[in-house]
Every structure is written in structure tokens, then in C-alpha cells.
Amino acid sequence: MVNLGVTLTLPHNDTKNIIKLLNEKKINTIQIMFSKKNITYTEIKKILKITKKFKYVYIHSSYLINIGSELIPIKDCMFNNSINLLTEEIIYSHQLNSCGIIVHLGRNVKKLYDDSIIYNNMTANIIELFKRLKNLKKIKIEDALLTIL
């Protein structure tokens, strides 16, 4: 059996009509891309209500994430906008009981840096990400999918 799915950007104002249409088409898979940062608990509950009818729910992370960007030490922690955003989205994915989160790691735009620097940054960022998420259930990294088990 083929699983047919769609992508929705949530929270969204016209969600009821969209979900009604999807239910009529018997679509059982949905991929969510968040329309903003700092999603509230109330919005998470609304998204859960929307997605409960789908067998498979995935999150698609922001295209702004670039794991190859540099970690910046600030006081007692490491700062990186991409890691901050990805951490947030993984937590939302966990709260939404999703099957996983699709993450594009980013790229070395215009080859401004040596690839070894980018790979070292990616390694440091992934280690930092696991430190921040140590209280979540197990996280499994696959080729193109970050799965929360």
C-alpha cells in the first residue's frame, strides 16, 4: 500500500477546511512545517487535534537551519541560531508525537569555508544538540530523517 501525504504549514488560520479536504481524500500521512518560532502550548494542542486523524505525522525542519555554521561560546554555553531553532523544532516534534523530523543539514554556500571546517562544525553542533536533548526519549539519526523513538 502506498502512503499518500501532504505538507502543511502550521499554525494556520484555515486549518479546519484543509483537514476536511484531506480526510475526504483519505490521506494518512502529513508533514508539518512550522510557520513561526516559539509555538505556544495552546498551539501545540491545536496541532495535536488536527494531526490525530493521520497515521503518520512528520515534521519538516526550517530551511534556515545550517548545522555547518559555527558555535559561538557565550558565558557558560554555546550559541548557534541553527542549533537553537533545530532544538526547538525537535522538542515540538516530540510534543506532537511525530514519527520523525526531516532536517536538511545546510551547505557551504559559495564555498566560503574549507569543507573540513564545515564538517567539524557539523560534528560540534550535533554533539551540542544531543547535550540539549538528553532528557528526551532516544533519538535516532538516519540518512535523511531524525527520529524520536
Side-chain angles (χ1 to χ4, degrees), residues 17-32:
N17 289 329
I18 293 169
I19 298 303
K20 183 179 174 189
L21 177 66
L22 295 177
N23 287 334
E24 290 169 5
K25 302 291 182 193
K26 301 203 184 322
I27 293 174
N28 66 356
T29 304
I30 189 168
Q31 175 179 279
I32 298 169

Side-chain angles (χ1 to χ4, degrees), residues 72-90:
I72 303 165
I74 297 178
K75 295 185 182 177
D76 294 336
C77 67
M78 300 300 278
F79 175 80
N80 179 299
N81 279 333
S82 290
I83 293 302
N84 291 349
L85 181 56
L86 182 55
T87 301
E88 224 176 73
E89 291 190 355
I90 290 172

Side-chain angles (χ1 to χ4, degrees), residues 88-149:
E88 224 176 73
E89 291 190 355
I90 290 172
I91 291 168
Y92 298 150
S93 176
H94 179 70
Q95 291 171 336
L96 294 169
N97 304 312
S98 78
C99 297
I101 180 168
I102 293 108
V103 178
H104 299 280
L105 298 180
R107 60 188 187 144
N108 190 358
V109 181
K110 299 180 184 175
K111 293 288 185 184
L112 294 177
Y113 305 99
D114 183 80
D115 283 342
S116 64
I117 293 171
I118 301 301
Y119 298 141
N120 286 336
N121 288 347
M122 285 181 170
T123 302
N125 281 318
I126 290 171
I127 290 168
E128 179 65 22
L129 185 66
F130 279 115
K131 285 179 186 175
R132 293 181 185 192
L133 298 171
K134 65 184 175 191
N135 294 329
L136 289 184
K137 295 178 185 177
K138 287 185 180 178
I139 296 175
K140 175 175 137 188
I141 296 181
E142 298 175 8
D143 290 345
L145 182 67
L146 189 63
T147 305
I148 298 175
L149 303 171

